[in-house]
Amino acid sequence: MTEGTLVSRRDLIKLGSAALVSAAAGHLLPEAIQNFEKRDADRLQDIIRETGGKKLTELEKSEIDALVNLSAKLYTELTGIDVDKEHLVSITSVYNNEDEFIQGVRNSGYPDYSPDRNNLPWGKALGADNPDIPNTAHINLVDMEKDMKTSTRYTAVGLVYNLFHEWTHCLATINTRGEILKSGVDYFIHQSETESEVKEPWQKYVGGRVYSVNNMGYNLFDEAWTDLIARMAINETLDDPELKNAATNIMSTSRYAERVRMLSRVAEDVRYEEESKTSNGQEPPLDLKQLAMLHRNSDFETFLQRIGRAYPRADLSLLSDRQLGEREDDQILKDRDFLIGKRIAVQIEFANPTTLSQVLDTLE
């Protein structure tokens, strides 16, 4: 740390008493001590309040830039992902025009992008599943505004939430490791809950998505996982009750709200089960940083195994022959936690809360 460096409260807490001693000895300018109370989260909330009443498409460029910069810094702190704030800022484009949003995606490595103009997404992240395409995050303010309607006057909360979501997509890395991948078992890539799905060996994971030679599955499970990370980060960022309420209203308009509600319940069960074992020297319970790092590393198998372990009384009779694939009995028993987790992930993928509740109720 060089003389004159400004530090946040979190930085000082991390550095501990040594930082305070150094400050008292004059190694930090007095402004550092005076200003460290003004955390990045406080400044972000100030901007959200100041822009209250504005539509997303009415935000000034300077306001958007400030929101993006502060959100990037907070995202790296909250998730623990080792990425420069400047990198997140540099890969991000925010649009208040639908045509410019579509063209921006096309110009960034997806030239054939032709979305349904009546159902445009709030954002688009590129590059995570293709090393030949640079990572970029594209934010569509117009359709966010349409979906949010009049849910809150603090619309800027929605931009922060969307940034957290798209950055989580962008930062996922391709993972070709894992016992399930190595086993070469032909698992279904689910395109629907009832149709006959393509049955191919899985080849790689990207976040919560699973890829075979010709297909990709668990896309909406990945959206739920990504959105849960964004929501947890928002909840840790905001401490103003009015802004928290605004965030809740905005997030309820998300297209993945039902799936996130389902995954949130599962994650709470995982946390509860793991907390009871932490004192025995096992890994700490699932939290935001672990969820984010599992997604960043595309550790799909570990996440599903942890879900399965949270339901130790689950019976493998919950699984159909189709879900088990062509596996020997001893292999099924060995992969029991993963297979239970996969069963639950499928219910989240198809947003089937009734079936998921029936499954989970049998595990109590």
Side-chain angles (χ1 to χ4, degrees):
M1 181 179 298
T2 59
E3 182 173 328
T5 302
L6 294 180
V7 292
S8 68
R9 174 187 293 175
R10 288 176 183 157
D11 291 328
L12 285 176
I13 290 172
K14 288 178 184 176
L15 291 171
S17 59
L20 297 178
V21 170
S22 295
H27 295 299
L28 296 174
L29 288 179
E31 287 84 0
I33 304 303
Q34 295 168 2
N35 294 336
F36 85 91
E37 292 276 349
K38 191 67 173 173
R39 298 175 298 143
D40 297 317
D42 294 331
R43 290 195 288 142
L44 183 70
Q45 291 179 102
D46 286 344
I47 297 172
I48 293 170
R49 293 188 199 95
E50 290 163 7
T51 57
K54 284 188 175 184
K55 295 180 179 180
L56 281 172
T57 53
E58 294 173 345
L59 293 174
E60 302 288 341
K61 183 180 184 302
S62 60
E63 293 166 338
I64 291 174
D65 288 346
L67 288 165
V68 172
N69 274 275
L70 286 168
S71 297
K73 188 168 185 183
L74 284 164
Y75 182 85
T76 60
E77 292 176 359
L78 292 168
T79 62
I81 292 176
D82 185 17
V83 59
D84 290 336
K85 178 204 81 169
E86 291 76 12
H87 173 70
L88 292 179
V89 173
S90 70
I91 67 173
T92 302
S93 299
V94 180
Y95 308 88
N96 58 13
N97 179 288
E98 290 178 328
D99 290 330
E100 291 177 2
F101 167 71
I102 293 171
Q103 194 58 49
V105 173
R106 289 174 177 170
N107 292 343
S108 299
Y110 196 169
D112 298 326
Y113 184 57
S114 299
D116 179 356
R117 296 297 295 257
N118 296 317
N119 192 31
L120 284 175
W122 289 10
K124 188 74 175 173
L126 302 181
D129 60 349
N130 187 342
D132 296 326
I133 298 177
N135 286 115
T136 51
H138 303 265
I139 306 298
N140 172 16
L141 297 182
V142 178
D143 285 77
M144 282 188 67
E145 191 173 276
K146 288 178 184 176
D147 290 348
M148 285 164 49
K149 298 176 183 173
T150 57
S151 60
T152 178
R153 68 188 302 268
Y154 297 114
T155 56
V157 173
L159 172 56
V160 178
Y161 161 54
N162 201 6
L163 288 167
F164 288 168
H165 180 103
E166 297 304 333
W167 286 336
T168 301
H169 278 312
C170 276
L171 295 176
T173 54
I174 295 173
N175 178 12
T176 57
R177 302 177 305 279
E179 292 301 316
I180 302 301
L181 293 182
K182 287 184 200 172
S183 71
V185 173
D186 290 358
Y187 273 137
F188 288 101
I189 294 291
H190 297 272
Q191 303 300 334
S192 78
E193 206 166 5
T194 55
E195 294 174 5
S196 60
E197 303 90 345
V198 175
K199 192 175 183 183
E200 294 180 332
W202 292 359
Q203 290 199 330
K204 67 180 180 182
Y205 307 119
V206 182
R209 295 183 174 95
V210 177
Y211 292 77
S212 64
V213 176
N214 301 303
N215 291 274
M216 182 265 286
Y218 293 87
N219 177 53
L220 295 174
F221 173 74
D222 178 64
E223 293 291 356
W225 186 356
T226 301
D227 218 57
L228 180 59
I229 292 167
R231 288 166 188 245
M232 292 173 72
I234 280 285
N235 287 335
E236 290 198 21
T237 298
L238 305 177
D239 55 23
D240 182 322
E242 191 173 10
L243 297 186
K244 276 186 173 288
N245 185 59
T248 299
N249 290 337
I250 289 171
M251 292 186 294
S252 71
T253 67
S254 163
R255 300 169 190 184
Y256 311 115
E258 180 59 32
R259 291 178 174 85
V260 177
R261 186 190 67 77
M262 295 164 67
L263 182 57
S264 181
R265 174 186 172 180
V266 170
E268 283 297 325
D269 286 350
V270 173
R271 247 191 312 274
Y272 178 81
E273 186 69 22
E274 292 181 346
E275 280 173 354
S276 67
K277 298 175 180 176
T278 301
S279 58
N280 298 327
Q282 296 191 17
E283 59 191 338
L286 192 68
D287 60 10
L288 170 57
K289 287 188 175 180
Q290 289 188 48
L291 269 174
M293 290 306 297
L294 285 168
H295 192 276
R296 158 79 157 168
N297 296 328
S298 301
D299 202 345
F300 182 82
E301 292 185 19
T302 296
F303 188 31
L304 265 59
Q305 286 164 356
R306 290 176 73 166
I307 290 174
R309 280 204 302 270
Y311 305 102
R313 290 167 295 285
D315 194 315
L316 283 169
S317 63
L318 285 167
L319 308 172
S320 69
D321 291 340
R322 187 177 65 177
Q323 291 163 334
L324 290 172
E326 296 174 2
R327 308 176 76 82
E328 300 295 332
D329 288 346
D330 58 343
Q331 188 67 38
I332 291 172
L333 291 174
K334 177 177 178 291
D335 292 339
R336 177 250 175 228
D337 293 339
F338 173 81
L339 292 167
I340 294 294
K342 185 166 79 73
R343 171 78 161 95
I344 292 170
V346 169
Q347 302 311 312
I348 294 170
E349 171 76 6
F350 298 111
N352 193 334
T354 301
T355 305
L356 179 65
S357 293
Q358 291 170 349
V359 171
L360 297 186
D361 287 346
T362 67
L363 308 183
E364 300 298 333

